[in-house]
Amino acid sequence: MRFTIGFDLDDKKKVFECWDEIITTHKWSEGKYTEQFEEKWSRYHNLDSVSFVNWTGAALAVIEFFKLKGEVILCPSNTFMATPLCIINGGAKVEFVDCNRDDLCMDVVDLKKKIEKFKPKAVCVVHIGGHIAFQIKEIAKLCKEKNIVLIEDCAHTHGASWDGVRAGAYGDVGLYSFYATKTISTGEGGMLVTKNKALVEFARKFRNYGKFDYVVQGINARMSEFTAALGCVQIDRLDDIIRWKNEYAKKHLDPKYPKRMIFPKGMISGLYKYIVFDPIEKSTGKVYDQPCHHFIKRDYPLPNTDWVAQNHWCVPLYYKGEEL
Ligand SMILES: Cc1ncc(COP(=O)(O)O)c(C=O)c1O
């Protein structure tokens, strides 16, 4: 299957109508589409939402809000380098936690050990591949007991849920990315989701240079109206994309790949990736083939992370993708 952006060409007209309106009304930033996109995203996730220029802008706001500069933040090594790099660029210290072999996400047993060893102020779970980390409930409970901030990296989990609960609702905050390869994309973009009203207020100021009282030392991390309008159309299409991918996978892929990732009861994966544990021809490769601790060197072993990097593959699965 050839790579396609998660976008229905039938939606082109709607997008162009919005863009036409944006151009003619001269409101290219901080307008009604930014608000609308946030409202739609909030409704879908049952959480408050703040849009950003990208995931990274939102993550920097979180590091500032929870005063994590100089503190240790734990994250998995099996993730995109954005996760640890953002921690470092935000002025915090990163240490790595091993993953599980079945879900590719953070292992709660190793997390307990790393909490004892590094005394972190925050943990960043990454929901790798489009499903919710299988141990997210245990991780959330542990973080609560230890008074540790729990950040969910939801860059892959558009449309995923577990017994109706969406990614981003388990921890203190969730961070979505709308980069071009994601299940739904706006080219670039990010969204912070949370129940924490003070964080919402802070994040709105942070992305806008702290306007207007400048108490928050912010940056420009705003989403443009053009991006937000595309986002409004994309969120309306999201359920259709998730349905299509899950039906396609069930009919065409599951019978072919018995050694695939199996989800717990009640979990709906957004299927950002279709993950199998056997080498396959015409794979799109790995979710990540180089764990982050190989780039940012650490002296402790992460055996499952190294195993996962060697032993999983992704079957191409793109919304209405053309079969080769
Ligand atoms: C797991 C993960 N975290 C963070 C990011 C960073 O997102 P952005 O490019 O929107 O800053 C990505 C993007 O590819 C990602 O896959």
Side-chain angles (χ1 to χ4, degrees), residues 238-311:
L238 180 53
D239 279 341
D240 185 42
I241 294 176
I242 302 305
R243 200 177 313 116
W244 188 94
K245 282 187 132 182
N246 274 277
E247 279 171 10
Y248 184 95
K250 197 168 172 201
K251 190 164 169 203
H252 300 285
L253 304 182
D254 291 0
K256 241 167 112 178
Y257 300 106
K259 249 182 114 183
R260 63 181 182 277
M261 183 176 289
I262 304 294
F263 303 114
K265 204 169 153 276
M267 170 101 62
I268 297 174
S269 173
L271 290 180
Y272 172 55
K273 302 283 179 185
Y274 186 95
I275 296 161
V276 297
F277 297 101
D278 269 332
I280 53 158
E281 272 178 48
K282 294 192 183 148
S283 161
T284 55
K286 309 284 170 77
V287 185
Y288 302 110
D289 50 13
Q290 282 289 339
C292 295
H293 74 283
H294 289 202
F295 298 112
I296 301 169
K297 306 233 178 306
R298 290 294 181 266
D299 62 2
Y300 41 84
L302 296 162
N304 287 348
T305 302
D306 285 325
W307 183 91
V308 156
Q310 295 296 319
N311 290 287

Side-chain angles (χ1 to χ4, degrees), residues 192-264:
L192 177 157
V193 294
T194 185
K195 301 178 197 80
N196 184 333
K197 302 281 180 206
L199 173 55
V200 169
E201 200 180 316
F202 180 93
R204 287 195 197 290
K205 289 194 169 182
F206 182 86
R207 70 169 177 197
N208 203 10
Y209 293 121
K211 277 182 191 174
F212 284 100
D213 56 14
Y214 303 102
V215 175
V216 173
Q217 198 179 302
I219 55 174
N220 175 11
R222 296 179 300 255
M223 178 179 275
S224 96
E225 279 287 276
F226 295 98
T227 304
L230 181 52
C232 287
V233 175
Q234 287 286 68
I235 173 89
D236 288 347
R237 182 60 65 185
L238 180 53
D239 279 341
D240 185 42
I241 294 176
I242 302 305
R243 200 177 313 116
W244 188 94
K245 282 187 132 182
N246 274 277
E247 279 171 10
Y248 184 95
K250 197 168 172 201
K251 190 164 169 203
H252 300 285
L253 304 182
D254 291 0
K256 241 167 112 178
Y257 300 106
K259 249 182 114 183
R260 63 181 182 277
M261 183 176 289
I262 304 294
F263 303 114

Side-chain angles (χ1 to χ4, degrees), residues 54-56 79-80 82-83 126 153 155-156 177 179 182 188-189 288:
N54 50 34
W55 177 99
T56 301
T79 180
F80 182 44
T83 322
V126 187
D153 181 338
H156 298 184
S177 167
Y179 175 63
K182 303 299 185 232
E188 301 285 354
Y288 302 110

Side-chain angles (χ1 to χ4, degrees), residues 111-137:
L111 174 62
K112 278 183 196 157
K113 289 185 196 151
K114 296 290 165 57
I115 289 175
E116 288 313 307
K117 185 167 175 182
F118 294 112
K119 313 276 183 266
K121 196 159 172 203
V123 167
C124 182
V125 169
V126 187
H127 303 293
I128 288 287
H131 54 278
I132 295 172
F134 296 178
Q135 294 179 326
I136 190 66
K137 292 173 200 166

Side-chain angles (χ1 to χ4, degrees), residues 21-34:
E21 185 195 337
I22 293 166
I23 288 169
T24 50
T25 57
H26 297 262
K27 191 76 189 160
W28 289 24
S29 186
E30 300 179 78
K32 75 170 200 187
Y33 286 108
T34 303

